[in-house]
Amino acid sequence: MKRAAALVCAAVASTVYLLTPAPLAQPTAGVRAASPGLATPGSKELAQKIVASAENGTLNWREAYGYVEDIGDGQGYTAGLIGFCTGTHDLRTLVERYTRDHPGNALARYLPALRRVDGTASHAGLDPGFPAAWRTESKVPAFRAAQDVERDRVYFDPAVHRGRADGLGALGQFIYYDALVFHGPGAGPTSFDGIRSRAVRQARTPARGGDETAYLDAFLDARRRAMLTRHPGIDTSRVDTTQRRFLREGNLGLRPPLRWEVYGETFEVP
């Protein structure tokens, strides 16, 4: 099921982003920042569907809570809703936070091992039981809710805040969200802030008086370059025939109906 999500892990492995988030720019009065954009319930649901089309090959993003697999990307196990990884801090942090509130959960016994393997591809102390424990715990509503909270804390909410600060509408905020999911936060050249830094050297954000379409084109150019830098030869259709398609259609509000192609499959939202 999971074909591309583990690339997220490789992107964030060297960034202790959960401990040192980048400061958010402040919105400029009078720009689109006043709009809720992607934060409305309907738009957020749509965002999860589009991400899931690339991450899981489905629009039913709720299928991913119990996913767990090592897909051989050098970051250990990839698991759950947004591709948390044992090698990249976020899975460990998720289980730590969840265990504070639910100490008897099926994953708590693996916390010592998760701390030891963090930052590596190792399964030491996790095999053979960790995948089964993850699938078991993912049937518990509280753990599903914990995955939602961590997704929002690390990826979705920062994307919306940064997008609003840059004067972007729902499409721009989604473009930021997908970039954070795939590349991870951080200032490195192939992480989110590195990509944004390259984009603002090419075009001004709407908050600074720039044209929204021109800026998003520059951001997607920088994003695509970062994908190919980190993973030469990778399929970049989640940019080329998904986000770029919406942009060329002038759909800055990311309003349905939508049709896009990613990794050879076509998806539609009426």
Side-chain angles (χ1 to χ4, degrees), residues 53-64:
S53 72
E55 296 286 302
N56 302 100
T58 180
L59 296 182
N60 186 2
W61 57 270
R62 293 174 178 84
E63 291 179 346

Side-chain angles (χ1 to χ4, degrees), residues 47 50-51 53-54 170-183 216-217 219-221 223-224 227 236-252 254 258-263:
I50 301 171
V51 169
S53 72
L171 176 59
Q173 292 168 28
F174 174 77
I175 287 172
Y176 275 15
Y177 176 44
D178 191 66
L180 275 166
V181 167
F182 189 95
H183 297 272
L216 290 175
D217 247 333
F219 186 91
L220 291 178
D221 286 345
R223 163 91 192 272
R224 189 176 191 276
M227 292 175 74
T236 58
S237 58
R238 69 193 292 161
V239 169
D240 302 335
T241 53
T242 303
Q243 296 167 47
R244 189 87 73 178
R245 176 171 182 164
F246 302 152
L247 185 62
R248 288 173 177 164
E249 290 171 349
N251 193 353
L252 296 174
L254 198 64
L258 298 174
R259 179 184 173 91
W260 70 96
E261 293 83 35
V262 61
Y263 303 137

